[in-house]
Amino acid sequence: MNRWQLLDKRWLIGLGMVVMLVVGGLFIKSTQSTSNTDFVVEKQFSTSLDDVALGTSDNVAIDQTSESVEVVAYADIKGEVHSPGIYQITPNMRVSGVIDLAGGMTENADVNQVNLAQIVTDQMMIYVPAEGEEVSEVVHNQAEESEITDAVNGDSDIASGQSEDKVNINTANLTEFQTLNGVGAVKAQAIIDYREANGAFQSIEDLKNVKGVGEKTFDSLKESITID
C-alpha cells in the first residue's frame, strides 16, 4: 500500500467518525428537547391542577364563604310585670317566655286574661292587666291597641254609633262578638258564658252584668248592639 492510499483510508475513517459525532449530537439534543418539553407540559399541568385545588387560578374562583342573614325580632311588654320594656325574642317564643324576660308577673296581675301559650311575633305588644282591669285583648299589636283606645275615648266611628249593622247579643257567636270594637276573644267568651248561664239578655244594659264589661266598655258598645 502506497502513501496516498493510506492517507485516503485515514481520511475516510476520520470523516466517518465526524459524521457519527454529528449524528449522535443531533440525536442527543433532540432527546433532551423532547424531555424538556414533556417536563414543561407536565409542570404546567400540575400547576393548573394545584391552582384549581387552591382556588388561585385566574380562571377558577372557589367561593367558600357563605353569608347568613339573622333576623332580629323584638316584643314590647307592658302592664303588671316587674320590668316592662322591649325585649329581643327568639323564633316560636311564647308569651310566657317574654314575661319571664320581664321578670315575671306582679302580685296584682290577672293571669286569667293572659294567653301564655300564644306565639309572639315581631313588634307585638303584650299587655298584662291587673285584677279587675278592663281590657279587650291581652296580647295585640300596636294598631289594635290604638283602635281600642279610640273606642274607649269615644273617638272611633264604630264607638260613636256610626256602624250600620248591630250585633244581637242574644244570638251572636264568638266571631260576631269580636266584630264589636273593644271586644276580643276573652270578653266575647265571657258574654256567651253569661248568656248560657243566665238566659237571654232582657235589655242591652244587662251586658254590664258580665265580668269585664264596665261603664266605659258599655258606652262604647251600646250603639252597636241590640237584643232584637
Side-chain angles (χ1 to χ4, degrees):
M1 182 180 296
N2 59 32
R3 180 180 179 184
W4 294 108
Q5 289 177 336
L6 182 61
L7 290 175
D8 289 340
K9 186 176 181 180
R10 290 179 177 177
W11 183 85
L12 290 173
I13 293 173
L15 180 62
M17 292 179 66
V18 171
V19 171
M20 290 178 64
L21 289 174
V22 171
V23 173
L26 291 175
F27 177 77
I28 293 173
K29 184 176 181 180
S30 175
T31 303
Q32 290 178 344
S33 177
T34 303
S35 177
N36 290 336
T37 301
D38 293 340
F39 175 75
V40 171
V41 172
E42 182 179 356
K43 182 177 181 181
Q44 290 178 345
F45 180 72
S46 176
T47 301
S48 298
L49 290 178
D50 291 341
D51 289 341
V52 172
L54 297 175
T56 58
S57 175
D58 292 339
N59 297 324
V60 179
I62 301 177
D63 186 5
Q64 297 181 347
T65 61
S66 60
E67 296 182 358
S68 58
V69 179
E70 181 180 358
V71 178
V72 181
Y74 295 90
D76 184 11
I77 183 167
K78 304 177 184 294
E80 294 299 322
V81 290
H82 290 288
S83 300
I86 298 175
Y87 293 90
Q88 183 175 341
I89 60 175
T90 57
N92 298 321
M93 178 176 280
R94 308 284 176 169
V95 168
S96 59
V98 181
I99 291 176
D100 289 340
L101 293 176
M105 297 183 184
T106 66
E107 295 180 355
N108 297 325
D110 187 355
V111 67
N112 293 324
Q113 295 195 65
V114 182
N115 184 358
L116 299 175
Q118 183 172 358
I119 294 178
V120 182
T121 58
D122 187 27
Q123 301 181 28
M124 176 178 282
M125 200 282 284
I126 303 171
Y127 185 75
V128 180
E131 291 185 359
E133 184 177 0
E134 295 181 12
V135 291
S136 60
E137 293 182 359
V138 177
V139 181
H140 48 76
N141 59 34
Q142 195 67 36
E144 290 172 336
E145 181 189 25
S146 177
E147 183 180 353
I148 292 171
T149 302
D150 290 341
V152 173
N153 293 332
D155 296 332
S156 170
D157 290 341
I158 298 177
S160 61
Q162 296 183 17
S163 175
E164 295 181 359
D165 298 327
K166 292 187 176 183
V167 174
N168 189 327
I169 59 177
N170 281 328
T171 60
N173 57 29
L174 188 67
T175 301
E176 291 171 333
F177 272 123
Q178 290 182 81
T179 62
L180 293 170
N181 197 67
V183 176
V186 174
K187 189 168 294 183
Q189 188 60 53
I191 296 173
I192 294 174
D193 291 343
Y194 178 89
R195 186 179 66 195
E196 292 177 351
N198 298 278
F201 293 99
Q202 300 302 311
S203 66
I204 61 173
E205 284 77 9
D206 290 343
L207 192 63
K208 292 186 289 185
N209 296 328
V210 178
K211 182 180 179 180
V213 180
E215 287 292 342
K216 289 184 178 180
T217 301
F218 176 75
D219 288 342
S220 69
L221 296 175
K222 63 183 180 181
E223 299 298 333
S224 303
I225 59 176
T226 182
I227 58 172
D228 298 328

